[in-house]
Amino acid sequence: MEIFLIRLLQFVLAITLLVFLHEGGHFFFAKLFGVRVDKFYIFFDWKFSLFKFKPKNSDTEYGIGWLPLGGYCKIAGMIDESFDTEQMKQPVQDYEFRAKPTWQRLLIMIGGVLVNFLLALFIYSQILFWWGDTYIPVKDMTLGMKFNQEAKAYGFKDGDILIGTEKKAFKDFSADLYRDISEAHRVDIIRDGKPMSVNLPGELNLLGMLKADPSFVRPLLPAKIDSVMAGSPAEKAGMKAGDQILAVNGSPVDSYNEFIDLLGRREDMLLSATTAADSLKARTVVIAFGNDTKTDTATVVLTPELKLGFYAPNINSFYKPITIEYGFFESIPAGIKYGWHVLSSYVDDMKYVFSADGAKSLGGFGAIGSLFPPMWDWYMFWKMTAFLSIILAFMNILPIPALDGGHVLFLIYEMITRRKPSENFMIKAEYVGFGILILLMVVANLNDILRWLGYM
């Protein structure tokens, strides 16, 4: 419960900040050009609001809604998500959105996206300034990698040390490494101390690589016990820190990765169990373990979560991370470069959304919240906030009615043709766009529920 609350608090704080600044971008340009803003809300206040106030001599009501689906500025003389058509029937006033030149209206509409994008670049710059860039170079992972059967079919072998592709060297073990491999025609490796290359088609399915279980590639880590949990099956079996798992039910274990895979295969047995005896059988395994001086075998009953109850050494126990530090002025171009890379990678990966697996991968509030760490970590909080800011900017500029990008599309049409779309058309487009957004939100959050229930 504590982990849930910590993640929830981080998620709410990040979203509140991003929504406030996004709407603040619209608000700034509206006020700059003398457009009246009737409402400024964080979250939607459908039917009622949690908090609201209107300063004396101000035209704007400020508040917090109860529906956490974003926020809005209700700008006078504009057809938006408030669907206030009565105002549009009145004579045009100088302070209204519709009375302003097209270029001013365009800046008002892109104000939120602009703020979110610049905010992300600023946060990334500050992350590099305060924390630097810490990572373990892939080429230094001398124990090599563990590959699944698909990867082995292309020519990889467990223990291969990854160097790079025909385009560039690998940096760290991250989604970028997967992306580089998926697009590569050649991957350079070191196998048994000798440089070699593995030829690839150059068009592997990135989403499939990331979702595969076991993963396409993972750092190979020894199945060594760092510490044993009190009262766990591992402690009852006599396992101690420094021991190494050698086999599970007679199947040799060459790495911690292999150990996790072997236990994971018993999950299907546990799910199909219909009696207590079936469940006990699925959880019962024979473990061979030992060290340099002795080897033991024990029959153990795993926990209901199929855990043995020990901690494996962290990857930092085997490799020393390096840190690249940045001065304040150095961090600015580095942060811009990093933010632009995040955006371009996200845009490139959008093509997978239109596949069946991509649709299943959509996540709602639960999926986004789970990306935050289970303990409060300012570094990860700001990194996730910057990432969400990039996503918010990109999603809002999509040419979908009801989003900023939809309004921008119609304004560009107006600038080119010198004709405004009719108010009736704009109202219908707003309804259609809002319907699309609600549908996407329902699908994304339904996926979260199905994953939580174990159906996906």
Side-chain angles (χ1 to χ4, degrees):
M1 186 63 180
E2 181 182 355
I3 290 175
F4 171 78
L5 291 176
I6 291 173
R7 280 178 165 155
L8 178 64
L9 182 59
Q10 292 179 87
F11 172 69
V12 171
L13 179 59
I15 290 299
T16 301
L17 174 66
L18 295 179
V19 169
F20 174 78
L21 292 174
H22 178 91
E23 299 305 329
H26 295 306
F27 185 89
F28 170 79
F29 282 107
K31 288 297 186 180
L32 180 66
F33 299 131
V35 177
R36 193 179 76 191
V37 179
D38 295 325
K39 284 187 173 183
F40 182 96
Y41 265 75
I42 298 173
F43 305 148
F44 290 114
D45 60 330
W46 184 63
K47 299 297 185 181
F48 68 94
S49 60
L50 298 177
F51 168 79
K52 63 181 179 180
F53 77 99
K54 189 173 184 179
K56 188 177 180 180
N57 301 323
S58 174
D59 296 316
T60 307
E61 176 183 296
Y62 301 88
I64 300 175
W66 64 272
L67 192 59
L69 302 181
Y72 72 99
C73 276
K74 187 177 182 302
I75 297 174
M78 174 183 169
I79 297 173
D80 57 13
E81 56 268 33
S82 68
F83 298 106
D84 185 1
T85 56
E86 291 302 316
Q87 186 182 64
M88 303 302 291
K89 295 177 183 178
Q90 306 302 318
V92 179
Q93 303 295 323
D94 291 341
Y95 58 76
E96 289 186 330
F97 177 82
R98 55 181 169 169
K100 302 301 178 180
T102 312
W103 68 272
Q104 291 185 4
R105 285 182 279 141
L106 185 63
L107 284 174
I108 292 171
M109 291 317 307
I110 67 172
V113 168
L114 182 63
V115 166
N116 280 134
F117 183 62
L118 293 177
L119 173 67
L121 300 183
F122 174 75
I123 293 176
Y124 282 132
S125 297
Q126 291 304 296
I127 287 174
L128 293 175
F129 173 64
W130 289 101
W131 286 282
D133 186 12
T134 301
Y135 64 95
I136 299 171
V138 174
K139 65 180 179 61
D140 291 348
M141 295 184 179
T142 52
L143 294 174
M145 296 288 160
K146 182 76 174 176
F147 300 90
N148 68 6
Q149 291 304 314
E150 181 190 3
K152 290 176 180 177
Y154 286 114
F156 292 105
K157 289 180 63 176
D158 290 340
D160 287 347
I161 301 172
L162 297 177
I163 302 301
T165 69
E166 74 274 13
K167 294 181 180 179
K168 61 180 179 179
F170 295 124
K171 180 189 175 188
D172 57 356
F173 189 84
S174 64
D176 285 338
L177 180 138
Y178 277 81
R179 186 176 292 105
D180 291 342
I181 292 176
S182 72
E183 299 171 352
H185 290 279
R186 188 193 79 237
V187 175
D188 298 324
I189 62 172
I190 293 177
R191 179 179 296 169
D192 299 327
K194 299 177 182 179
M196 297 181 63
S197 294
V198 174
N199 295 320
L200 296 177
E203 50 185 21
L204 297 182
N205 186 298
L206 175 61
L207 184 62
M209 292 170 65
L210 291 169
K211 291 184 65 178
D213 187 17
S215 301
F216 187 91
V217 56
R218 299 156 289 169
L220 192 154
L221 298 175
K224 197 171 183 179
I225 296 174
D226 186 62
S227 61
V228 177
M229 301 177 191
S232 67
E235 185 186 56
K236 294 174 183 176
M239 297 180 188
K240 296 181 174 60
D243 285 345
Q244 190 156 328
I245 306 297
L246 304 175
V248 175
N249 287 340
S251 298
V253 171
D254 62 3
S255 63
Y256 182 69
N257 317 75
E258 183 75 15
F259 172 71
I260 294 299
D261 292 345
L262 288 171
L263 292 192
R265 294 172 195 173
R266 308 193 71 78
E267 188 171 348
D268 290 337
M269 292 177 58
L270 189 61
L271 290 174
S272 60
T274 56
T275 65
D278 291 338
S279 176
L280 181 62
K281 182 179 179 180
R283 292 166 52 203
T284 303
V285 294
V286 179
I287 304 287
F289 61 96
N291 49 45
D292 294 337
T293 59
K294 67 173 183 175
T295 300
D296 289 314
T297 301
T299 300
V300 299
V301 178
L302 304 172
T303 69
E305 295 79 25
L306 297 178
K307 302 294 184 183
L308 187 55
F310 72 88
Y311 293 104
N314 187 280
I315 191 171
N316 291 347
S317 302
F318 301 100
Y319 308 114
K320 185 178 181 180
I322 65 171
T323 299
I324 300 175
E325 297 183 347
Y326 293 88
F328 180 78
F329 293 106
E330 292 175 310
S331 70
I332 296 173
I336 293 173
K337 182 180 178 180
Y338 185 87
W340 185 257
H341 172 71
V342 171
L343 176 61
S344 59
S345 299
Y346 182 77
V347 172
D348 185 56
D349 295 345
M350 281 295 292
K351 60 178 178 284
Y352 294 107
V353 173
F354 302 101
S355 65
D357 286 340
K360 292 178 183 178
S361 298
L362 287 174
F365 299 126
I368 297 173
S370 67
L371 296 175
F372 287 92
M375 296 179 289
W376 196 278
D377 183 329
W378 281 112
Y379 170 79
M380 288 304 300
F381 170 79
W382 287 116
K383 196 168 185 179
M384 273 304 306
T385 300
F387 179 62
L388 292 177
S389 195
I390 286 268
I391 293 177
L392 187 60
F394 175 72
M395 296 302 292
N396 264 282
I397 205 62
L398 291 176
I400 299 174
L403 291 178
D404 297 340
H407 292 283
V408 169
L409 179 65
F410 296 136
L411 285 168
I412 292 174
Y413 167 82
E414 181 183 338
M415 293 174 75
I416 294 173
T417 64
R418 305 289 182 178
R419 292 188 303 167
K420 285 185 180 182
S422 69
E423 290 181 2
N424 185 49
F425 171 82
M426 292 293 289
I427 291 170
K428 290 180 179 178
E430 197 76 13
Y431 275 113
V432 170
F434 206 70
I436 293 173
L437 295 180
I438 293 297
L439 178 62
L440 288 174
M441 199 164 294
V442 169
V443 170
N445 286 284
L446 180 61
N447 283 350
D448 283 352
I449 295 171
L450 292 176
R451 277 190 284 268
W452 181 67
L453 294 174
Y455 291 106
M456 289 182 65

